Amino acid sequence: MADLTTEFAGIKSPNPFWLASAPPTDKEYNVRRAFEAGWGGVVWKTLGEDGPPIVNVNGPRYGAIWGADRRLLGLNNIELITDRPLQVNLDEITRVKKDYPDRAVVVSLMVPVNEDAWKSILARVEATGCDGVELNFGCPHGMSERGMGSAVGQVPEYVQQVTEWCKQHSDLPVIVKLTPNITDIKKPAQAAKDGGADAVSLINTINSITSVDLDLFAPEPTIDGKGAHGGYCGPAVKPIALNMVAEIARTPSLQGLPISGIGGVTTWKDAAEFLALGAGNVQVCTAAMTYGFKVVQEMISGLSQYLDEKGIASVQDLVGRAVPNLSDWQHLNLNYVTKAHIDQDACIKCGRCYAACEDTSHQAIAMSEDRTFTVKDEECVACNLCVNVCPVEDCITMVEMQPGEVDPRTGKVVEKEYANWTTHPNNPGACAAE
Amino acid sequence: MTANALTPGIVAGRLDPADYAEQFTDLHPRLDDHEALVAADRCYFCHDAPCITACPTDIDIPLFIRQIATGTPEAAARTIFQQNILGGMCARVCPTETLCEQACVREVAEGKPVKIGELQRYATDTLMEQGVHPFSRAASTGRRIAVVGAGPAGMACAHRLAMKGHDVVIFDARPKAGGLNEYGIAAYKTPGGFAQAEVDWLLKIGGITVENGKALGRDITLDGLKADYDAVFLGVGLGGVNALNAPGEDKAGVLDAVDFIADLRQASDLSRLPVGRDVVVIGGGMTAVDAAVQAKLLGALNVSLVYRRGRDRMNASKFEQDLAASKGVRIITNATPVAVRGNGAVREIEFEYTDDDLKPTGQTFRLAADQVFKAIGQTLSGDGLPALEGRKIKVSGAGRTSIAGVWAGGDCASGGDDLTVTAVAEGRDAAEDIHATLTAEG
Ligand SMILES: Cc1cc2nc3c(=O)[nH]c(=O)nc-3n(C[C@H](O)[C@H](O)[C@H](O)COP(=O)(O)OP(=O)(O)OC[C@H]3O[C@@H](n4cnc5c(N)ncnc54)[C@H](O)[C@@H]3O)c2cc1C
Ligand SMILES: Cc1cc2nc3c(=O)[nH]c(=O)nc-3n(C[C@H](O)[C@H](O)[C@H](O)COP(=O)(O)O)c2cc1C
Ligand code: SF4
């Protein structure tokens, strides 16, 4: 059995599955039940300054995108940070950590950008016995209007400054949670690193409006006739999150900075993908909110089965395995030639490949009177759109052409050697291959 | 052979030899990967799911379906086997329409349940075909336990005990292990020698010895077992068969349905198994349906299933009644046999219509019959057993009998339905109780 234990930024947990800072981690009751269900750690719902807690709108607080059969694909929320008194949260954290010494308990924080505010809350948080802090520089609604959350995360100088304060006033590991609502994720990540952060976590939610009520003419969720943009999360954001994680993982100046992958993790497979692209662990919010704490059991069994099948001994050995294969477009092999191939036995003759290719691509699929669909190799550019629109798995596959064969589309012999755009004759800036 | 459907009497080879395999093919062929994903996708992963409660072995159904949905049927199988080591057989034979699938929220809401049974089969087949036995034994306890009966109850009990580190000897009167899985379940529910393959796979846990041809009361005694073993589990099922109590019952051609089915299950060549032209099955349960359907599949011309009360009281589920009807079995209800006629061999049976309280109406009818199957229930047989309750061994808690150190479960024990899955649950729970008891004794 593969070893699922992880050590992330010096914080140990029995598995790499942490609950992200959000309603699932907003109170002792939830967190205890989450630990009983098997979660390896939690990032406690973001705490704010002492004093009267923030106030949430009553709701509705969520907008959603569904697939057929109402599978929840994307969720948008307008919740703020915790609306419970600071001391109540701190007392609860203390109790929970004491009872679950083997689980990771990280406390998320968001206070105004001034040193005293951070200094004073850090001292109190440290007293709980928690394992680390996460700086919430990501919340894209409400708090940002008050100069916190993503309003900080979008300004690298602030990110660095606050990180420095935290490292200065606390011995706890500091994880900086990044907002995706920014053009270049590497900038705030670099700022966090320069500020001394022990790790970054990403992504927080993405600015979004999920839908518009066409009778009320108001965005949803609609509160008394009005709506505000919210933060998008759930399965729909995974591709965006994966890219941002990967960007950080492959940037030379950010090497060695642990990454906690967040955004749309719903199954063991999602988690494994984040890990392979460089995340040291993952955090989950929407999947738990959709299916309950029990989903972690599938994540645990699935990841351990996968690691066993691959002969990978531990989570650590999976982390970053796909990073070396993340390249830039200009370095992709232009001599790699494939052709779509339709398995006639598997084909159900729906014609979707034909419509896609004929109407929107390269007119490379032929349709006969009796609805037989075949690929015209002389037209196929191997875009693989047909594969993606085909309802039958593995019916259409991309078959690699071997060196020496003639590509009927270009009339050229397929070269064995790798060649990319940087040396291609059509590239005005091409440099001759060495 | 020149017999065909019209040949009178009880004869073999009514069908073209090539047709038998087709007739007895898998009732529900296994889902392919894509079908399994589509079926799994319909599960809502309900909280505290009603399907789990409805399963006598409490399999975590939403979890195993999610594991299928995420491409790990092997993990799904482990989830199933943790609760039900005969999850493979149960996936084939459970009347899911009255168990998990009846409770499925989508059955309640839409009349279309998630295909739990078929998904269970998909998962368990995947792991079993890889030859993987997912459990290993705890350190040996040095304790020895005797299990009588290698049916689902006995096998489940033995497996759980072996897992806990005990050594188990199973005694069974029949030549093969498996109980009714091997000798009773309809052939089209478990084709391809699955019952024996499952027994072999289960025994891979180690620590279990099976002694076939050893009958309690003939070759071994309960007192002897008590003296030689640290505990005894009785899973002997129901060996006896109820009588019709109609004159003429002893005529040739009148058989116990379970014997017919056992012969059929053991037949190496179905084209050599004789069956009547006009077959009458008396009873209203699973055995009656199985006998009727299989007689029809063997090529009987007319098969009637006659039950003494109304359809809604039949033990066979709606699904099974429909299955029988779809195979051409005529179901007659509210009729009791009053006489079996014939000169030596049965020729016809006379029935009297009864109301739902079994009050005779005075109206009678006759059915031509050259073969009659009695399927009106099985009974416990054997002497020197622990105290009974009604006609079964009285048990309390997890299968404790009136005799200290002796547990019982499955069909032979009181309480619970006579189903494979219930037998598994009772065997498993008795094993846990035996283990707890032996551990407490120190
Ligand atoms: C025809 C038929 C069809 C059925 N179909 C279904 C179905 O589709 N689905 C379903 O869920 N259930 C079905 N059942 C019911 C199901 O088979 C039983 O509930 C289940 O097998 C009970 O398991 P058990 O272990 O208690 O007993 P059994 O399976 O009866 O096993 C008892 C074992 O004990 C052995 N034994 C008996 N007496 C002695 C003795 N004195 N000494 C040693 N060994 C002994 C027997 O040889 C046998 O191997 C069917 C039953 C019948 C008869
Ligand atoms: C209702 C809700 C409230 C959230 N509150 C916080 C918060 O207080 N602090 C924080 O850092 N992130 C918060 N998040 C963001 C999540 O922690 C997480 O980054 C995001 O939802 C993406 O992960 P997911 O796709 O698994 O949901 C919240 C998300 C939701 C849905
Ligand atoms: S989930 Fe539903 S019931 Fe619970 S607080 Fe929200 S609106 Fe109310």
Side-chain angles (χ1 to χ4, degrees):
Chain A
M1 274 277 278
D3 180 11
L4 291 194
T5 59
T6 45
E7 183 163 342
F8 181 81
I11 305 168
K12 292 199 172 72
S13 60
N15 62 54
F17 305 107
W18 292 9
L19 281 168
S21 172
T25 62
D26 195 14
K27 49 174 116 66
E28 179 177 0
Y29 175 81
N30 295 11
V31 173
R32 282 182 186 276
R33 292 181 67 238
F35 284 160
E36 290 306 319
W39 291 91
V42 298
V43 181
W44 203 276
K45 173 76 179 170
T46 306
L47 309 182
E49 274 192 303
D50 207 356
I54 61 95
V55 176
N56 269 304
V57 292
N58 277 296
R61 303 177 189 178
Y62 298 107
I65 302 282
W66 295 277
D69 217 6
R70 266 183 86 88
R71 179 166 298 272
L72 191 72
L73 298 178
L75 189 69
N76 156 292
N77 86 89
I78 54 167
E79 284 234 336
L80 303 183
I81 60 175
T82 185
D83 52 15
R84 303 180 324 132
L86 178 62
Q87 195 56 48
V88 170
N89 276 302
L90 294 174
D91 292 345
E92 292 185 359
I93 293 166
T94 309
R95 285 198 293 268
V96 170
K97 181 62 210 181
K98 194 159 151 282
D99 289 351
Y100 293 92
D102 67 322
R103 310 299 172 96
V105 177
V106 172
V107 178
S108 170
L109 300 174
M110 184 198 287
V111 295
V113 187
N114 77 63
E115 189 167 356
D116 286 342
W118 286 94
K119 186 176 171 187
S120 83
I121 197 164
L122 280 166
R124 294 175 69 178
V125 167
E126 222 171 285
T128 63
C130 71
D131 299 297
V133 291
E134 185 180 80
L135 315 185
N136 177 351
F137 295 155
C139 183
H141 47 262
M143 305 312 291
S144 51
E145 294 165 21
R146 304 173 204 179
M148 292 180 271
S150 62
V152 179
Q154 286 163 341
V155 185
E157 292 75 16
Y158 292 169
V159 172
Q160 180 168 344
Q161 176 68 81
V162 177
T163 309
E164 280 168 2
W165 290 335
C166 291
K167 286 308 290 179
Q168 194 180 333
H169 296 300
S170 159
D171 293 333
L172 290 171
V174 172
I175 304 168
V176 174
K177 184 165 180 180
L178 304 178
T179 175
N181 298 306
I182 188 161
T183 313
D184 183 357
I185 197 70
K186 297 189 292 295
K187 295 289 186 312
Q190 188 68 55
K193 186 168 190 236
D194 295 344
D198 297 277
V200 289
S201 57
L202 69 161
I203 60 172
N204 208 309
T205 56
I206 304 174
N207 283 337
S208 64
I209 292 173
T210 37
S211 53
V212 176
D213 186 316
L214 290 177
D215 297 316
L216 294 174
F217 297 104
E220 301 202 58
T222 311
I223 289 124
D224 195 23
K226 297 264 190 288
H229 82 269
Y232 202 40
C233 52
V237 309
K238 185 187 103 176
I240 296 164
L242 272 181
N243 178 53
M244 290 186 163
V245 165
E247 279 298 292
I248 295 173
R250 77 191 188 107
T251 297
S253 66
L254 294 170
Q255 287 312 295
L257 182 65
I259 306 165
S260 184
I262 319 172
V265 175
T266 313
T267 69
W268 71 267
K269 217 167 173 192
D270 300 325
E273 291 172 23
F274 271 98
L275 296 170
L277 273 181
N281 74 0
V282 293
Q283 297 184 29
V284 176
C285 169
T286 305
M289 294 184 77
T290 311
Y291 301 106
F293 290 143
K294 199 173 119 179
V295 279
V296 75
Q297 294 174 11
E298 173 274 324
M299 297 181 189
I300 291 170
S301 69
L303 184 62
S304 70
Q305 177 174 332
Y306 168 75
L307 294 176
D308 286 345
E309 282 171 4
K310 285 276 167 217
I312 300 176
S314 69
V315 170
Q316 191 49 45
D317 293 341
L318 172 62
V319 173
R321 280 227 182 177
V323 176
N325 291 329
L326 179 62
S327 180
D328 289 323
W329 187 93
Q330 61 175 344
H331 294 125
L332 299 177
N333 186 1
L334 291 173
N335 283 342
Y336 178 76
V337 182
T338 63
K339 297 288 171 188
H341 177 263
I342 301 174
D343 176 349
Q344 297 301 336
D345 293 333
C347 176
I348 59 171
K349 304 190 185 295
C350 67
R352 282 177 65 169
C353 58
Y354 181 84
C357 194
E358 191 70 11
D359 290 1
T360 72
S361 297
H362 304 273
Q363 297 76 45
I365 293 179
M367 175 178 176
S368 73
E369 289 273 301
D370 70 345
R371 297 186 70 83
T372 301
F373 298 91
T374 41
V375 175
K376 298 183 241 172
D377 285 352
E378 61 280 16
E379 302 295 339
C380 176
V381 303
C383 72
N384 92 333
L385 179 67
C386 53
V387 173
N388 290 305
V389 302
C390 177
V392 181
E393 210 177 339
D394 293 334
C395 173
I396 310 182
T397 47
M398 303 307 296
V399 180
E400 189 178 344
M401 291 193 72
Q402 294 308 310
E405 290 183 283
V406 177
D407 178 350
R409 180 175 69 91
T410 57
K412 291 197 182 123
V413 173
V414 176
E415 305 279 349
K416 194 166 160 200
E417 284 72 32
Y418 159 91
N420 65 40
W421 174 245
T422 59
T423 56
H424 195 277
N426 289 16
N427 178 0
C431 42
E434 314 265 305
Chain B
M1 260 182 255
T2 53
N4 60 32
L6 292 173
T7 311
I10 305 177
V11 300
R14 290 183 181 276
L15 305 176
D16 192 284
D19 291 342
Y20 286 93
E22 173 70 15
Q23 290 285 82
F24 287 88
T25 177
D26 219 335
L27 183 60
H28 298 290
R30 167 161 159 203
L31 298 175
D32 68 27
D33 293 346
H34 182 73
E35 288 170 326
L37 287 179
V38 172
D41 194 59
R42 291 191 70 239
C43 173
Y44 286 146
F45 201 69
C46 299
H47 175 71
D48 193 9
C51 53
I52 304 181
T53 315
C55 170
T57 53
D58 297 303
I59 293 173
D60 192 338
I61 294 163
L63 178 61
F64 95 67
I65 294 182
R66 193 169 176 84
Q67 288 168 320
I68 291 175
T70 58
T72 52
E74 296 86 355
R78 287 167 201 272
T79 300
I80 294 162
F81 291 135
Q82 256 159 33
Q83 290 296 112
N84 181 335
I85 195 65
L86 296 183
M89 182 60 78
C90 287
R92 292 163 163 77
V93 306
C94 273
T96 51
E97 63 279 6
T98 62
L99 298 169
C100 52
E101 291 180 20
Q102 184 177 51
C104 174
V105 300
R106 302 200 74 161
E107 164 64 20
V108 178
E110 308 162 35
K112 284 200 193 74
V114 173
K115 293 179 179 170
I116 299 170
E118 292 187 59
L119 286 166
Q120 179 169 323
R121 167 146 179 215
Y122 173 79
T124 52
D125 277 9
T126 303
L127 194 70
M128 289 173 79
E129 278 169 15
Q130 293 171 8
V132 176
H133 187 92
F135 302 103
S136 53
R137 297 186 70 195
S140 171
T141 62
R143 303 293 192 134
R144 296 173 71 235
I145 294 141
V147 168
V148 186
M155 295 303 289
C157 181
H159 185 271
R160 186 55 62 105
L161 288 169
M163 243 172 93
K164 304 265 183 200
H166 308 293
D167 289 326
V168 186
V169 180
I170 308 183
F171 299 96
D172 197 291
R174 300 245 201 188
K176 289 192 205 165
L180 289 171
N181 286 354
E182 175 60 37
Y183 292 98
I185 298 293
Y188 47 79
K189 289 185 186 169
T190 170
F194 180 77
Q196 284 312 300
E198 185 178 49
V199 168
D200 295 343
W201 172 86
L202 181 149
L203 292 175
K204 282 191 189 169
I205 181 83
I208 304 174
T209 315
V210 185
E211 299 213 7
N212 286 108
K214 289 274 167 63
L216 183 72
R218 188 186 70 200
D219 312 299
I220 45 173
T221 64
L222 192 50
D223 284 342
L225 293 178
K226 276 193 61 194
D228 293 348
Y229 293 86
D230 294 298
V232 180
F233 175 81
L234 298 174
V236 292
L238 302 173
V241 175
N242 289 329
L244 276 184
N245 293 326
E249 182 175 353
D250 52 352
K251 291 204 187 306
V254 181
L255 303 165
D256 290 333
V258 285
D259 291 337
F260 165 66
I261 292 169
D263 286 348
L264 190 144
R265 284 294 306 276
Q266 299 308 309
S268 54
D269 180 0
L270 289 172
S271 72
R272 290 164 63 177
L273 190 71
V275 69
R277 184 185 75 173
D278 303 302
V279 176
V280 175
V281 181
I282 298 169
M286 205 129 46
T287 306
V289 168
D290 287 359
V293 169
Q294 292 178 111
K296 191 76 198 164
L297 296 176
L298 280 175
L301 181 65
N302 298 305
V303 178
S304 311
L305 185 156
V306 188
Y307 177 56
R308 58 187 180 153
R309 302 183 200 261
R311 273 225 185 198
D312 50 331
R313 298 281 296 271
M314 279 175 75
N315 268 335
S317 66
K318 171 93 170 45
F319 170 81
E320 290 177 89
Q321 295 177 33
D322 289 349
L323 176 72
S326 76
K327 300 292 179 193
V329 173
R330 179 181 175 208
I331 298 178
I332 300 171
T333 54
N334 293 95
T336 313
V338 291
V340 181
R341 300 223 170 78
N343 187 10
V346 55
R347 185 177 27 89
E348 64 171 25
I349 315 189
E350 183 169 341
F351 291 91
E352 180 171 18
Y353 282 116
T354 53
D355 69 10
D356 279 348
D357 298 323
L358 299 182
K359 255 209 347 261
T361 59
Q363 298 180 56
T364 61
F365 65 93
R366 293 164 188 213
L367 287 179
D370 42 31
Q371 195 171 31
V372 178
F373 295 127
K374 297 182 284 182
I376 53 175
Q378 288 94 254
T379 53
L380 179 62
S381 59
D383 306 315
L385 297 170
L388 304 187
E389 177 176 41
R391 300 165 72 185
K392 293 187 167 196
I393 298 172
K394 178 179 178 173
V395 292
S396 57
R400 296 186 184 196
T401 69
S402 60
I403 304 175
V406 180
W407 279 257
D411 285 0
C412 69
S414 63
D417 293 322
D418 288 349
L419 293 174
T420 309
V421 64
T422 310
V424 172
E426 292 175 1
R428 176 200 71 191
D429 293 348
E432 291 286 350
D433 198 44
I434 292 170
H435 174 71
T437 306
L438 294 183
T439 310
E441 282 171 4

